[in-house]
Amino acid sequence: TVSNWSIIITVLLSLLCVVISIWGFKKYAVLRTAMQDYISYEKAVEQLQYGSDNLTKQVHLAASTGRQEYIDAYFEEANVTKSREKALEDLKALGGNTDAVSALEDALSSSVELMNTEYYAMRLVEEAMGTDQSFWPDEIKDVKLSAEDAALSSSDKLCAAQRMVISPKYENMKDTISSNTSAALNTLTEDISTRQNLAANVFTGVFQEIIIC
């Protein structure tokens, strides 16, 4: 009788261990998914920041050197690569936290607004270097210089372009973009940490129950 009951209890405990183990594997999957999601989220945020910084880099180089290749690289990023727009689309596709998405949307909006200053600066560069207008990007062709800037000499136009992209106003806009991307990443970090902690607590409890069984 004792042997029979021992077998029954052993079988029941074995089944219970199997059920608990399956539940544990599911929570382990949650932990892995949370980490993979964070990596994807972080990549999206960094991609948007990279896109904005790359545009700034190219316009700085264009204003500093007066070389067309940097203006071309600027519009390659802005109109073809589109790192910023793709980053936001990726985050939305991943089902990112709405607050994080909103923060990235604000960062993108600020970056797009900053492009008006960059277009103006590059128009000054193009005129300073006397390049053929037929090769100018449409965005630069659409820029209208003020009467004062239009009357500047070539060297003064180049200096004016340089001042525009290192001005306090320009840097403040860059700081705003960085603040928004940082806010998005912080929000995502908190969200992922919460998911991981909940899964980890259950995961720990599952192992304790298996040990007891």
Side-chain angles (χ1 to χ4, degrees):
T1 300
V2 171
S3 178
N4 289 338
W5 276 107
S6 294
I7 292 172
I8 292 171
I9 292 172
T10 301
V11 170
L12 291 175
L13 287 175
S14 297
L15 291 174
L16 183 58
C17 283
V18 170
V19 172
I20 293 173
S21 296
I22 292 173
W23 179 243
F25 278 119
K26 289 183 178 180
K27 289 304 172 182
Y28 175 67
V30 170
L31 283 173
R32 288 192 61 185
T33 301
M35 180 54 67
Q36 290 168 350
D37 285 349
Y38 179 77
I39 293 172
S40 298
Y41 293 157
E42 184 178 39
K43 183 179 179 181
V45 173
E46 289 178 348
Q47 185 180 10
L48 191 145
Q49 185 66 59
Y50 166 79
S52 177
D53 290 343
N54 191 29
L55 293 177
T56 297
K57 173 185 175 182
Q58 301 306 330
V59 76
H60 276 176
L61 288 170
S64 299
T65 65
R67 293 169 64 176
Q68 183 66 36
E69 64 188 84
Y70 297 119
I71 295 178
D72 293 340
Y74 178 97
F75 285 100
E76 176 73 18
E77 169 63 41
N79 298 333
V80 180
T81 307
K82 295 185 177 181
S83 299
R84 302 167 304 165
E85 291 82 357
K86 289 179 180 177
L88 187 56
E89 290 174 4
D90 289 345
L91 186 60
K92 289 180 178 179
L94 289 166
N97 183 288
T98 53
D99 290 337
V101 171
S102 179
L104 274 197
E105 286 176 337
D106 289 341
L108 178 58
S109 178
S110 297
S111 184
V112 170
E113 182 180 346
L114 192 62
M115 292 174 78
N116 293 323
T117 300
E118 293 167 344
Y119 290 162
Y120 196 97
M122 286 185 287
R123 173 64 185 251
L124 287 169
V125 172
E126 295 281 27
E127 292 206 0
M129 303 311 297
T131 55
D132 187 343
Q133 292 191 21
S134 63
F135 294 107
W136 291 3
D138 292 337
E139 292 87 348
I140 293 182
K141 290 179 182 178
D142 293 338
V143 172
K144 304 298 181 184
L145 296 183
S146 66
E148 181 181 357
D149 288 337
L152 294 173
S153 65
S154 295
S155 59
D156 287 340
K157 283 179 179 177
L158 199 57
C159 289
Q162 294 167 0
R163 288 194 298 270
M164 288 188 72
V165 295
I166 60 171
S167 67
K169 181 180 178 181
Y170 186 89
E171 291 303 319
N172 287 339
M173 287 292 290
K174 290 295 298 180
D175 289 342
T176 298
I177 296 169
S178 296
S179 295
N180 286 327
T181 54
S182 296
L185 190 57
N186 290 336
T187 300
L188 291 169
T189 301
E190 292 175 4
D191 186 39
I192 293 295
S193 295
T194 300
R195 287 168 55 187
Q196 286 184 318
N197 289 335
L198 289 173
N201 290 336
V202 175
F203 198 44
T204 301
V206 164
F207 275 106
Q208 291 174 345
E209 291 168 4
I210 290 176
I211 290 171
I212 292 172
C213 289

